[in-house]
Amino acid sequence: MNDAASAILSSPRYKRITDSIRSFPENSDLYRQRGTLLLQDRQYELARLDHQKAWELKGDETTGLDYATSLLLASDTPAAVKLLQECRNRFTTYSEFSRRLSELYTEGGDWDKARKEYESVLRRDSLDFMAWYELGQLSLRMRDTATA
């Protein structure tokens, strides 16, 4: 860790949680909490490191979403897409990963992949209003008014 990162993590805002992490280095929730604080303060790279550590310690759905968010804010979209794909395959009943992938694919102009992700969500839950809405919005972007 460089001097700038050490200075941030030892500042009053982070000192208590950093001390707790030193005392309990296997507690993933502490890394997630500090990572969330770091995101609020726009310390994206430090937040990414904390969320990565939390993911390594406890790879659950919430930690995966936090880590993906950190990756995106740290401008590592390819790693975020890879993580979201891994999470989608690992947590098959949790549709938020497919939804986030769809958003990224849409932003990147890969509309066919985005459509497939939304359709995947709807196959699992045909009453998912947000998936229907987003699929309609995507169809409009694609100028597919019949589907929209």
Side-chain angles (χ1 to χ4, degrees), residues 1 11 24 26 53 57 59 82 101 115 132 144:
M1 186 177 324
S11 70
F24 305 100
E26 299 301 312
K53 182 65 175 178
L57 292 171
K82 184 178 177 185
L101 274 169
R115 177 187 292 268
W132 281 114
D144 181 359

Side-chain angles (χ1 to χ4, degrees), residues 7-9 11-15 17 33-47 51 73:
I8 291 168
L9 297 179
S11 70
R13 178 155 165 85
Y14 300 104
K15 184 171 178 16
I17 197 161
Q33 289 172 16
R34 187 172 71 180
T36 299
L37 286 174
L38 288 161
L39 284 179
Q40 291 170 1
D41 292 339
R42 297 184 175 154
Q43 297 295 326
Y44 301 132
E45 185 57 29
L46 291 175
H51 285 132
L73 290 172

Side-chain angles (χ1 to χ4, degrees), residues 55-61 63-64 83-94 97:
W55 174 251
E56 291 167 0
L57 292 171
K58 181 182 178 184
D60 64 2
E61 295 96 331
T63 307
L83 175 66
L84 288 168
Q85 289 170 337
E86 176 187 339
C87 289
R88 177 201 55 204
N89 295 335
R90 186 171 172 183
F91 306 108
T92 57
T93 61
Y94 194 64
F97 297 113

